[in-house]
Amino acid sequence: MLIKLLWPQAINLMIRYSNNTMNEQKILAIEAIKKKLMGKRIVYDEAFAIMDQIANFGLEDLFVAYFAASSFNKGFSADELFYLVKAMVETGNKLDFKGIVADKHSIGGMPGTRTTPIVTSIVAAAGYQIPKVSSRAITTPAGTADVMEVLCEVDFTIAEIKKIVNQVGGCIVWNGKLNIAPADDVIIRVEEPLSFESFDKIIVSILAKKIAMSSNQLLLDLPVGPTMKIKYVTDALKFKRKFVNLCHKFGITVKVDINHQLEPLGEGIGAALEARDVLKVLSQVPERSLRLESKSIKLASRLLDMCFLADNKADDGLRLAEHLLKSGKAEEKFREIIKAQRGDPDVKWHDIQLARHRLELKADKSGTISLVNNYHISALAKLLGAPIDRKAGLVLQKKIDEKVNRNDILIELYSESEQKLKEANESYKNLPIYIIN
Amino acid sequence: MLIKLLWPQAINLMIRYSNNTMNEQKILAIEAIKKKLMGKRIVYDEAFAIMDQIANFGLEDLFVAYFAASSFNKGFSADELFYLVKAMVETGNKLDFKGIVADKHSIGGMPGTRTTPIVTSIVAAAGYQIPKVSSRAITTPAGTADVMEVLCEVDFTIAEIKKIVNQVGGCIVWNGKLNIAPADDVIIRVEEPLSFESFDKIIVSILAKKIAMSSNQLLLDLPVGPTMKIKYVTDALKFKRKFVNLCHKFGITVKVDINHQLEPLGEGIGAALEARDVLKVLSQVPERSLRLESKSIKLASRLLDMCFLADNKADDGLRLAEHLLKSGKAEEKFREIIKAQRGDPDVKWHDIQLARHRLELKADKSGTISLVNNYHISALAKLLGAPIDRKAGLVLQKKIDEKVNRNDILIELYSESEQKLKEANESYKNLPIYIIN
């Protein structure tokens, strides 16, 4: 039940902003935002105006907030999603790679499950292009870009990225300054204080970035679980259907891997600790996380199978992924990428420094781990200084179903600040990670 | 189709704002806003937290925008409307008047139809309390407070208002600094750039201010028309039903006057010109607007009938309203109010100065007026300098169905700026007020 306005909007706005600060495109954008807020449909020109004003003309945050909020009303039709993605791509920079371009994306991934560098290395080692652009952490303990930055640079220009990918087949860089689907970054910043995002908005965000990177073989990792972004398989299936339909409209081949996840697969949480986990798997040292390895192989194998199909090649993704990892070829590729990104290609996992101060949390009773609280993992990591302090974080010593004895070490905490370490230690009572029964 | 967040919100917010800038009430408010955005229901404590944070703790505009946008999602239940109104009242100042307190409100009124000072004078002359607080114009050519300010002061403290009303029975003052339902002012400011408001939001706004003023006999003037805020009678009826139900929950007696309105009832548009129209009617000079008079009598008579009923008095509102106006008692009361508000009680309508520069717009053809465009009236008035220039505005010389000859004067334009007068003259081609057939 909505009222029409006393003023036709165009007149109103033109008069209000009559000293030429508002042009026709801005009026179109604002009117389109209002339409969405009132549950009406918009066309491509309107979607373009919104994205263009957000990306390139500094549309005020209030308007962006109203647009973000509008996705909670009646949502977007399939056509509107197409328009929004296209407009988001067209109002930013693009990287044009030819031929097969693989990509992998995880939605609302678990902390401490850094598969991207491993998958990228395997796929690039198989000879396929995989230009990964990743984000830094905002509200999580670490983003893939943060983890890579422990090992090499991640801030490159579009020309540099093209050069790196043409040279070594892959990259793992930061998307921050590339101006790829820039409207998305603005919207995410405005949504951040409420930390909300609609399904529709997530779909638009992911796809716009992928299309701008010319990705055409996309594997979407969709973990489901009580403490994940998506909690129910039915929701995951709805998401998948919408996502796949939209991919097809853009000519992108996509596979969606819906999987249950209850706890981190790696051991460390925090940029430095996760970089260690990645290097351990790639260099196949005995103390590596086998669960992180197996998840990475699974994702890489599915992505390779997609590439084979596009390439008219008869091969088995799983076989090749395992081979590339075991033979050291994936590690070799990872070191090539590190070198191309101006890092030390000879770095060993134990070269990576952790924070100076360390504290062990011990079990206050014996029993079996029945639950891992992923919220509390992130909360503690942030109390320790992550994501700003790259060396801060925590190591999980136990997994679900594991038996523990009283005084067993459960968690190691790392922080550059003794004060923070103390605070995290005190907070653990209220933010327990393990439920022991 | 919404996703749950990776983080439980409370933890997320507590950590993000861990340097004590965010307290529990703020977290509660933000979580409640998010609930509304996702189409869920909130309880009184949550409504209170939202209003309190907005009114008294400077909740950031972005959050306010998300709250405003949420009223476009599933709207509010009857209970929620009650909570929001109550919370809006409780988080601001109140004026406690005892006994019968009359009030009158117009929704999205027509420009140049300044009934409030006339109705207030009649009702106060009948011996009933009528403490009117009114707004200034933001996007319209004049608000009631602007019009009154041509004649006297309008900016008083709560104590002063009580004194004025106890002394003369009524007042017509500005609500701006009274801190009455202050959250409403903030929300309106944040909604302003999009110039939207939901029905629900309008109902909450009106009622909160009325309850804070202790009003218990309320007449709601609900003009309907193609260029009014409410365009269709069916919408007006829906609005009425919701409004009346909510009034009853607060123990307020209410009547809603749904009426068609196609053009301004007074002659002038702009503060000074409208003040002249008001004074002309109250002093019953022959050149007064009979239509403004008749509408004012109608509203006053209905409001008086309500007061009689509450007062167990057998009298006829129409008879008394007409008598008070014709006998000069309403004028006398108006001059008492002007005096109490530190104005010149002896002011005559022709004492009120208009802007220096004047221009006549003439008919370019003969025919009959078939339509008056109220949007364009406001647009032209604003081009002439209203609402900031109180003396600027325009006088409509013709009414719908009136016959005109080529070169008849249609409109007089007034402005302090010759440049603006010229611009308005040039703009008239694109903003015609009269359609002549």
Side-chain angles (χ1 to χ4, degrees):
Chain A
M1 189 162 70
L2 301 168
I3 57 155
K4 280 295 290 180
L5 302 154
L6 180 60
W7 291 83
Q9 294 77 1
I11 292 177
N12 201 9
L13 291 168
M14 277 193 294
I15 290 164
R16 181 137 14 105
Y17 298 84
S18 56
N19 40 357
N20 295 322
T21 59
M22 178 167 290
N23 62 16
E24 282 179 29
Q25 276 300 99
K26 182 163 185 180
I27 293 171
L28 184 62
I30 293 173
E31 289 313 303
I33 290 169
K34 205 153 26 173
K35 274 170 93 170
K36 282 314 302 168
L37 213 47
M38 296 189 174
K40 294 180 191 161
R41 297 288 172 219
I42 56 172
V43 298
Y44 180 69
D45 286 354
E46 293 170 314
F48 183 89
I50 294 173
M51 293 304 157
D52 200 30
Q53 290 294 318
I54 292 176
N56 304 314
F57 295 95
L59 188 70
E60 292 83 352
D61 282 359
L62 263 191
F63 291 115
V64 179
Y66 284 124
F67 174 70
S70 79
S71 71
F72 285 87
N73 195 345
K74 291 198 180 164
F76 300 106
S77 70
D79 282 343
E80 284 179 321
L81 288 177
F82 180 81
Y83 300 150
L84 288 171
V85 171
K86 193 169 153 60
M88 223 179 225
V89 173
E90 295 302 328
T91 52
N93 287 336
K94 284 177 273 187
L95 272 91
D96 57 323
F97 292 104
K98 306 284 172 225
I100 293 170
V101 182
D103 209 337
K104 170 254 164 201
H105 192 93
S106 293
I107 288 184
M110 182 70 81
T113 308
R114 196 61 53 194
T115 58
T116 296
I118 305 171
V119 173
T120 303
S121 302
I122 294 174
V123 172
Y128 293 109
Q129 300 178 100
I130 180 161
K132 271 300 298 174
V133 295
S134 299
S135 54
R136 294 185 193 275
I138 302 171
T139 59
T140 56
T144 294
D146 299 313
V147 174
M148 278 306 285
E149 204 167 36
V150 172
L151 304 168
C152 57
E153 294 180 19
V154 295
D155 190 4
F156 294 96
T157 65
I158 286 194
E160 288 170 326
I161 291 172
K162 283 213 70 163
K163 205 176 142 201
I164 293 169
V165 174
N166 287 339
Q167 183 193 330
V168 299
C171 68
I172 304 156
V173 298
W174 181 42
N175 62 21
K177 291 189 195 155
L178 297 177
N179 214 41
I180 285 175
D184 188 44
D185 302 334
V186 177
I187 297 170
I188 286 173
R189 177 178 54 72
V190 169
E191 286 178 331
E192 215 268 319
L194 273 197
S195 55
F196 71 17
E197 244 185 329
S198 68
F199 270 177
D200 281 357
K201 176 53 190 43
I202 292 175
I203 290 175
V204 169
S205 293
I206 297 172
L207 256 187
K209 293 250 194 285
K210 301 305 171 199
I211 290 161
M213 294 298 293
S214 323
S215 307
N216 49 43
Q217 307 298 320
L218 173 59
L219 179 67
L220 190 70
D221 174 29
L222 208 69
V224 175
T227 55
M228 307 303 293
K229 258 195 186 182
I230 299 182
K231 303 212 176 314
Y232 307 103
V233 172
T234 47
D235 282 346
L237 288 171
K238 274 188 215 165
F239 187 96
K240 176 182 172 176
R241 195 160 46 237
K242 241 182 179 171
F243 191 82
V244 169
N245 282 341
L246 201 53
C247 279
H248 290 165
K249 286 197 184 183
F250 284 101
I252 294 177
T253 307
V254 61
K255 291 279 176 199
V256 180
D257 191 60
I258 296 177
N259 50 83
H260 277 94
Q261 203 174 336
L262 297 172
E263 62 189 325
L265 298 182
E267 275 146 13
I269 316 291
L273 285 160
E274 295 181 44
R276 281 186 168 202
D277 278 355
V278 165
L279 266 180
K280 282 181 191 171
V281 169
L282 281 164
S283 52
Q284 294 283 295
V285 296
E287 55 272 66
R288 71 190 183 275
S289 161
L290 292 177
R291 304 202 303 172
L292 181 62
E293 172 174 311
S294 113
K295 167 101 176 180
S296 303
I297 288 177
K298 183 185 164 202
L299 293 173
S301 71
R302 291 203 68 176
L303 192 48
L304 284 177
D305 281 335
M306 293 170 69
C307 293
F308 295 154
L309 208 64
D311 205 14
N312 287 315
K313 217 166 164 177
D315 202 341
D316 177 47
L318 183 58
R319 186 207 59 80
L320 186 61
E322 279 178 341
H323 164 70
L324 292 170
L325 195 58
K326 308 284 171 204
S327 66
K329 295 221 167 104
E331 179 187 9
E332 200 179 303
K333 181 55 73 180
F334 188 54
R335 295 189 183 283
E336 281 177 23
I337 292 172
I338 290 176
K339 191 177 173 198
Q341 293 185 200
R342 300 183 200 134
D344 170 12
D346 301 318
V347 63
K348 300 283 176 290
W349 71 264
H350 43 73
D351 295 339
I352 299 170
Q353 285 196 2
L354 305 181
R356 261 176 301 166
H357 304 287
R358 181 175 170 281
L359 189 81
E360 292 171 350
L361 297 180
K362 294 181 178 174
D364 56 359
K365 62 170 177 176
S366 300
T368 304
I369 308 268
S370 64
L371 209 82
V372 171
N373 189 319
N374 299 302
Y375 299 147
H376 294 177
I377 290 176
S378 290
L380 272 185
K382 286 158 86 178
L383 286 175
L384 291 164
I388 292 159
D389 176 358
R390 296 275 157 83
K391 298 176 181 173
L394 48 95
V395 175
L396 300 173
Q397 296 286 13
K398 302 290 173 190
K399 301 283 176 192
I400 287 174
D401 288 337
E402 211 169 313
K403 287 207 179 342
V404 297
N405 293 314
R406 200 177 131 84
N407 286 328
D408 273 4
I409 298 170
L410 295 177
I411 303 159
E412 295 163 52
L413 305 179
Y414 290 88
S415 181
E416 289 287 281
S417 146
E418 222 161 341
Q419 175 62 21
K420 285 183 179 168
L421 203 67
K422 212 176 127 197
E423 281 170 22
N425 186 29
E426 280 161 15
S427 299
Y428 187 71
K429 281 181 287 291
N430 299 320
L431 297 168
I433 289 177
Y434 293 115
I435 306 296
I436 303 172
N437 286 321
Chain B
M1 188 163 71
L2 300 168
I3 57 155
K4 278 296 289 179
L5 301 154
L6 180 59
W7 292 84
Q9 294 77 2
I11 292 176
N12 200 9
L13 290 168
M14 277 194 295
I15 290 163
R16 180 137 14 103
Y17 298 86
S18 57
N19 40 359
N20 296 322
T21 60
M22 179 167 288
N23 62 17
E24 283 180 30
Q25 277 298 98
K26 182 163 184 180
I27 293 171
L28 184 62
I30 293 173
E31 289 314 302
I33 290 170
K34 205 153 28 172
K35 273 170 94 170
K36 282 315 300 168
L37 212 48
M38 297 189 173
K40 294 180 191 161
R41 298 287 171 220
I42 55 172
V43 297
Y44 180 69
D45 285 354
E46 293 170 314
F48 183 88
I50 294 173
M51 292 305 157
D52 200 30
Q53 289 295 317
I54 292 177
N56 303 314
F57 296 94
L59 188 70
E60 292 84 350
D61 282 0
L62 263 190
F63 291 115
V64 180
Y66 285 123
F67 174 70
S70 79
S71 72
F72 285 87
N73 195 346
K74 291 196 180 164
F76 301 106
S77 71
D79 281 343
E80 284 180 320
L81 288 177
F82 180 81
Y83 301 150
L84 288 171
V85 171
K86 192 169 154 61
M88 222 179 227
V89 173
E90 296 301 328
T91 53
N93 287 334
K94 283 178 273 187
L95 273 90
D96 57 324
F97 292 105
K98 306 286 173 223
I100 293 171
V101 182
D103 209 336
K104 170 253 164 202
H105 193 92
S106 294
I107 287 184
M110 180 71 78
T113 307
R114 197 59 54 194
T115 58
T116 296
I118 304 171
V119 172
T120 302
S121 303
I122 293 173
V123 173
Y128 293 109
Q129 299 178 101
I130 179 162
K132 270 301 297 174
V133 295
S134 300
S135 53
R136 294 184 194 276
I138 302 171
T139 59
T140 56
T144 293
D146 300 314
V147 173
M148 278 306 285
E149 203 167 36
V150 172
L151 304 169
C152 57
E153 294 179 20
V154 294
D155 190 3
F156 294 96
T157 65
I158 286 195
E160 288 170 325
I161 289 173
K162 282 214 71 165
K163 205 175 141 201
I164 293 169
V165 175
N166 288 338
Q167 184 193 328
V168 300
C171 68
I172 304 155
V173 299
W174 181 42
N175 61 22
K177 291 189 196 155
L178 297 177
N179 214 41
I180 285 173
D184 188 45
D185 302 334
V186 177
I187 297 170
I188 286 173
R189 176 178 56 72
V190 169
E191 287 178 331
E192 215 268 319
L194 272 196
S195 54
F196 71 16
E197 245 185 329
S198 69
F199 270 179
D200 280 357
K201 176 53 190 44
I202 292 176
I203 290 174
V204 169
S205 293
I206 296 172
L207 257 187
K209 292 251 194 284
K210 301 305 169 197
I211 291 161
M213 294 298 293
S214 323
S215 308
N216 49 43
Q217 308 297 321
L218 173 59
L219 179 68
L220 189 71
D221 173 30
L222 209 68
V224 175
T227 54
M228 306 303 293
K229 259 195 183 182
I230 299 182
K231 303 212 177 313
Y232 307 104
V233 172
T234 45
D235 282 346
L237 289 172
K238 272 187 218 166
F239 187 95
K240 176 182 171 176
R241 195 160 46 237
K242 242 182 179 172
F243 191 83
V244 169
N245 282 341
L246 202 52
C247 279
H248 289 167
K249 286 197 184 183
F250 283 100
I252 293 177
T253 307
V254 61
K255 291 280 176 197
V256 181
D257 191 61
I258 296 177
N259 50 82
H260 276 94
Q261 203 174 337
L262 297 171
E263 61 189 324
L265 298 182
E267 275 146 13
I269 316 290
L273 285 160
E274 294 181 44
R276 279 188 168 202
D277 279 354
V278 165
L279 267 180
K280 281 181 190 170
V281 169
L282 281 165
S283 53
Q284 295 283 296
V285 295
E287 54 273 63
R288 70 190 185 275
S289 162
L290 293 177
R291 304 203 303 173
L292 181 62
E293 172 173 309
S294 113
K295 167 102 176 178
S296 303
I297 287 177
K298 183 185 164 200
L299 293 174
S301 71
R302 291 202 68 176
L303 193 47
L304 284 177
D305 281 336
M306 294 170 69
C307 293
F308 295 154
L309 208 63
D311 206 14
N312 287 314
K313 215 166 164 177
D315 201 342
D316 177 49
L318 183 59
R319 186 206 60 79
L320 185 61
E322 280 179 339
H323 165 71
L324 292 170
L325 195 59
K326 306 287 169 202
S327 66
K329 293 216 169 108
E331 179 187 5
E332 202 179 302
K333 183 54 73 178
F334 189 54
R335 295 188 183 283
E336 281 176 23
I337 293 172
I338 290 177
K339 193 178 171 197
Q341 294 185 201
R342 299 184 200 133
D344 170 12
D346 300 319
V347 63
K348 301 282 176 291
W349 71 265
H350 44 73
D351 294 339
I352 298 170
Q353 283 197 2
L354 305 181
R356 262 176 300 166
H357 303 287
R358 181 175 171 281
L359 189 80
E360 292 171 350
L361 298 178
K362 294 179 178 175
D364 57 358
K365 63 170 177 176
S366 301
T368 304
I369 309 270
S370 65
L371 210 80
V372 171
N373 189 318
N374 299 303
Y375 298 146
H376 294 177
I377 290 176
S378 290
L380 273 184
K382 285 158 86 178
L383 287 175
L384 290 164
I388 293 161
D389 177 359
R390 296 275 157 82
K391 298 176 179 172
L394 48 94
V395 175
L396 300 173
Q397 294 286 11
K398 302 289 173 189
K399 301 282 175 193
I400 287 175
D401 289 337
E402 211 170 311
K403 287 206 177 346
V404 296
N405 293 313
R406 199 177 131 84
N407 286 328
D408 273 3
I409 298 169
L410 294 178
I411 302 160
E412 295 164 53
L413 305 180
Y414 291 88
S415 181
E416 290 286 280
S417 146
E418 223 161 340
Q419 175 61 21
K420 286 183 178 167
L421 203 66
K422 213 175 127 195
E423 280 171 22
N425 186 28
E426 279 161 16
S427 299
Y428 188 70
K429 281 181 287 290
N430 299 319
L431 298 168
I433 289 177
Y434 292 115
I435 305 296
I436 303 172
N437 285 320

